Amino acid sequence: MAAQPAASAPSSVTPPSWHALNPPEVFSVLSSCPQGLSGSEATRRLAELGPNELSFAKVSPWWRVLFRQFISPLIGILLVAAVVTLVQQHWVDAGAIFLILCINAALGFFQERKAEEAVRALQSLASPTCRVLRDGTEQVIPGRDVVRGDVVLLESGERVSADLRLFEANGLQVDESMLTGESFAASKHTAALPADISDADKTNVAFSGTFVGNGRGKGVVIATGASTALGEINALVQGPTGKSPLQLLTHSLERRIGLIVLAAIVFIFIAGLVLGNDVSTMFRTAVGLAVASIPESLPIVLTVALSLGVSRMARRNAIVRTLPAVETLGSTNVIGSDKTGTLTENRLTVERIWTSDGTVDVSAGDDDGGSTDSPLVRAVLRAGALTNEATLSAEDDDLEYSGDAVDAAMALTAVVRAAISEAERTAEPAAHQPYEPHLRYSQTVQQDAAGRRTLYVKGSPEAVLAGAVVLAVPGGTVPLDEAQIHAANEAMGRDGLRVIATGSRILADREELPSPLPPPSGLTFLGMEGMTDPPRAGVADAIVKCRRAGIKVMMITGDHPVTATAIAGRLGLSTDKPALTGAEMADLDDQMLGARILQTSVAARVSPVEKLRIVRALQANGKVVAVTGDGVNDAPALKAAAIGVAMGKSGTDVARESSDVVLTDDNFVTIVHAVEEGRVTFSAVRKTTFFLLSTGTAALVAVTLSVFAEVPLLFLPVQMLWMNVVTNGAQDIALTFEPAEGDELTRPPRAPSEGILSRTLWFRAGITGCWMALAVTLTFIVALHNGYTETHARTFALTMFVVLTFFQVHSSRAENKSLFQLRLLANKPLLFTSLAAQTLHWAVQTWPVSADLLGLTPLRPWEWLLCIGIGSTVLIIVEAEKGVRRWAHRHDTPPA
């Protein structure tokens, strides 16, 4: 049994910088040893420290979610109105109100329950089992039973179960892209590192949830569960989801409407009593007025408008997970995008080949497949493809290689450019030494048909230079010019390229090949290949469209600043200011960070916590921020942003579950389409809200005027309910089908300070609402003075209101354009529902049963014509107001 220190594992609140300690010091602090813990000690620590699991926020009980649907000023007023009608035994009125409340509550309940499923995918990153040393022997245990101080064994294909300080590493490479955003697998070693470095630079630590790509290793557990880097991300994701701008605006509007309507109802109730009306009648009047003036269908309208946006976005490869996200994209003014897999393809590609004869750019792919490549270029490509462990995984129109990303890129380029055939590349070598991170090169010996053996080497330029003696030139070799090679390496590095050098040597006939192969020597330095993760096609054009639409695009990545800046320049992002880095952020307070982040378009080498801080700094500056990403490291920022956009193909489950929108094609270009649809959706919401508020204002003002005119009640409560159905009903929903006007991506984003309605629409709603109220009230009074019965006068006034709303709903189709510039059949649902409302109103006043129930009587044809004539005046008022505004805008514009 292994010797086991008696001391228990420390439980200090602030852990040491494990990466800065040597392995013996780490074991000492953890009271462990390279042979692992004893079984009894591990059991004790598990009981003391708890299992290696992530904690998740509890889901709210269904009853609490349902209760929240009734916490609203408007809903509160309607609840009181429903109770009053029940007490007075007016069953039809009460049933109608309760039906409206139930529909609203059901829609809200469904959406909120769906949103609470957001962050469960982090559980999928938990390692179900892992291999540890316990009592000096290898054991397989559940990942949840790993404790601090355990020694964990790693090899290719395994998921790391906890944060480990490595003390043995043999060619160990770990894919940390989900945490750091880097395209390349991280090569690991065991030496101590400086204390003040970021997680992305901790090359002696293996993080929980990452994958071992190559090699083997051993590490001692330094953190489990919530204490791991993954656990810290989980804690950030578990926070409450912020409300979207539309939700905030809607709630603010509801409070304002609720207070105004409540005050008006109380005022009218008291005034009616003072003027001699009985309590029961005024109660019913107040209830009817509440139902008629409160836009209780607004939540339904919002849901329909957003659902239509969801449908349109789905057709353009954007799947919306939360309805408010549709509009939020439309009001976004900053997009913070991850680099790897979002702006780029997340696939290494050889872009340049350097030889002593010059540099060849092979990124365009329009050079006849390498038929014009020089012998030097072909020699570089052959060397890179022969010292290679990539395997061909797909062969159709596009070759696809798997394995190490560098090997796959070099093999693909060599085969595509016909520098080597696949049969030559996969021929059995005479000897081979795979890439070792501490050596920084790989080498292989190939034998041709004539029996001649050649040693090929690829690796870092420094490693190949160390074994080289001459430089290949056209027609032969010359003495090595290291300064020339270093200059070329630095030039490609400044452009964000990862540089791999190649060399070769023809072996003597009798030269032995020991195993392992000795360090390479006597090499001819052939050249270098520069590779990078290329930008996605169309992204640069999409960024131009975003800029035209008033949206700033930022790259926020964990990758190296040089690489990030180079890619940003190729995408058309501003690189005038240096990239903001995580190290720089540590020295900035929130106010200084907010100012700095507005100056740059690139933030690089940032951790998940720092990404989240950047999002919050932008939000503190009044920005509506959308964040795109595909990795676990993006999840906190995706959740905290006004809208999170995840990649559907290459993204992790964590990123998708933390997002509001998922792109099925992983294409940044799709975001531009989604922004356009978001603006169309908000425009529809705005138009419908204007219609509902203007007609609600008309009902409120008309009833108020009639009370003070000392005439009989303008409308009976049941008529107010009917008016609410026929004037709004399906028309407000049909208005949400209004199509795009065509200039959505040429307008700046909606200002955060601007509500659902602009000042123009508030003014328009006021004047049209008051005009409609005046027309309806005067119709009622004049009819009474001309000897009409109350029933006939009410029918006349009610019909006037119905016809006025017909013209008002059509005038609502455009905020600035004239109605006559729009196609009549562009919104067929609106045309048909508005005509159906008029027909239905004529039918109920004609059919004796419904007319008796609602207190109506048939109107004569000339009375209908009069209603149509006066009703059309609201359209004239709106068109005149639009015309004046257009004239004033042209008049105020200074000459060019």
Side-chain angles (χ1 to χ4, degrees), residues 163-244:
D163 286 359
L164 312 177
R165 172 61 168 89
L166 301 169
F167 64 91
E168 284 187 22
N170 183 12
L172 185 63
Q173 291 185 302
V174 181
D175 180 0
E176 298 178 339
S177 60
M178 68 174 191
L179 287 175
T180 65
E182 292 209 32
S183 307
F184 313 110
S187 298
K188 297 296 184 178
H189 61 78
T190 61
L193 297 168
D196 54 343
I197 59 174
S198 66
D199 285 349
D201 296 317
K202 292 178 181 177
T203 50
N204 58 13
V205 174
F207 294 101
S208 176
T210 58
F211 282 100
V212 179
N214 290 296
R216 300 179 305 279
K218 292 181 182 179
V220 58
V221 177
I222 56 177
T224 61
S227 300
T228 63
L230 184 62
E232 292 175 359
I233 294 175
N234 175 64
L236 297 174
V237 173
Q238 294 297 318
T241 302
K243 292 186 180 297
S244 73

Side-chain angles (χ1 to χ4, degrees), residues 444-461:
T444 191
V445 176
Q446 296 284 349
Q447 184 170 323
D448 61 18
R452 185 176 62 174
R453 298 176 304 167
T454 305
L455 171 70
Y456 294 99
V457 180
K458 75 169 170 58
S460 69

Side-chain angles (χ1 to χ4, degrees), residues 28 86 161 173 297 316 413 419 578 633 842:
S28 176
L86 279 178
S161 57
Q173 291 185 302
S297 61
R316 305 184 82 168
T413 304
N633 59 322
W842 169 81

